[in-house]
Amino acid sequence: MRVLVVEDFPVLARAVGAGLRRAGLAVDVVLDGADALEHLAVTGYDVVVLDRDLPGVPGDEVCRQIMAGDAGTRVLMLTAAGSVADRIEGLDLGADDYLPKPFDLGELVARVRALGRRRAAALPPVLERDGIRLDPSRRTATRAGRPLALTPKEFGVLECLLAADGRLVSTEQLLESVWDSAADPFTTTVKTTIRRLRAKLGEPPAIHTVREGGYRVGQP
């Protein structure tokens, strides 16, 4: 899941970003509405955590432009104003959820995950292929009943490959879905993660490389 956090208070922005990354999500963090719109113009996000009270371009305008883009991006709106009228106004703008400040970080992570699942509603709740079983909501993965101890990036890569249901997934697609905008497109981090993931999955090989095509789970 790819998430954009838009929050003008740097300490809170960093804390939210760190909490979402610990939950295994790919997160970009920006501090104002204009920067948010620039990121949204070039990257497809599953969920945007959006502060309403932003300098420059306000959060309400960012939300309107997200809704106008019709990309299926979900919006979790944050604000220090927590009255019922404020919540109604935010939801009427098109936000999918609304969380007043101060909030519990664990609750925010759970709500972001729920919104991401809603965007990907076409996928089954548990992904299975070639003896591999992955439950995104519980963050568990097994192969032939054997638990897999995966890092967040390994889990994210395996989730992308299983969700593709045998189709090829390119290195660029994995970088886009699992890593944030700071990832170097020429890095070997995807190959390194795939290599570690293969070792943990064991035999017979489950992840196959297609030359100049990408990766797939299933028949080579």
Side-chain angles (χ1 to χ4, degrees):
M1 192 189 305
R2 190 74 180 265
V3 181
L4 177 65
V5 175
V6 191
E7 165 60 54
D8 67 320
F9 185 48
V11 173
L12 179 58
R14 287 194 296 269
V16 171
L20 291 169
R21 291 188 185 103
R22 284 195 298 270
L25 309 183
V27 184
D28 296 327
V29 177
V30 297
L31 302 177
D32 59 66
D35 202 1
L37 292 176
E38 289 182 7
H39 276 67
L40 288 160
V42 298
T43 303
Y45 291 96
D46 298 290
V47 179
V48 176
V49 179
L50 178 64
D51 183 15
R52 281 192 78 180
D53 309 309
L54 295 172
V57 180
D60 288 3
E61 179 58 27
V62 175
C63 186
R64 288 190 189 96
Q65 294 200 32
I66 292 173
M67 295 303 106
D70 194 29
T73 301
R74 304 294 183 177
V75 176
L76 171 59
M77 192 167 276
L78 304 176
T79 184
S83 70
V84 172
D86 289 312
R87 290 197 294 272
I88 292 172
E89 186 178 3
L91 294 170
D92 281 345
L93 289 168
D96 299 276
D97 201 356
Y98 197 97
L99 194 59
K101 299 176 183 178
F103 52 82
D104 179 83
L105 185 57
E107 181 182 2
L108 182 143
V109 172
R111 290 187 182 219
V112 168
R113 280 180 173 165
L115 290 176
R117 289 195 299 270
R118 191 187 305 173
R119 185 176 191 262
L123 290 177
V126 175
L127 303 173
E128 296 186 76
R129 190 175 181 86
D130 280 17
I132 302 169
R133 190 175 192 275
L134 183 143
D135 187 332
S137 63
R138 291 185 172 86
R139 307 295 295 174
T140 59
T142 60
R143 187 178 193 192
R146 174 175 58 87
L148 301 172
L150 304 180
T151 67
K153 295 304 183 190
E154 291 165 357
F155 191 97
V157 167
L158 185 58
E159 183 176 1
C160 285
L161 294 176
L162 291 174
D165 196 26
R167 297 184 300 276
L168 284 178
V169 181
S170 69
T171 297
E172 292 75 17
Q173 287 172 313
L174 290 172
L175 279 171
E176 174 76 15
S177 299
V178 183
W179 280 266
D180 57 32
S181 61
D184 182 352
F186 301 104
T187 184
T188 60
T189 187
V190 172
K191 288 184 178 179
T192 302
T193 303
I194 290 284
R195 185 172 64 248
R196 292 199 307 262
L197 188 51
R198 281 177 171 144
K200 291 183 178 181
L201 289 169
E203 297 293 335
I207 300 175
H208 302 282
T209 303
V210 178
R211 188 182 295 269
E212 298 183 5
Y215 306 93
R216 67 154 60 100
V217 173
Q219 296 299 318

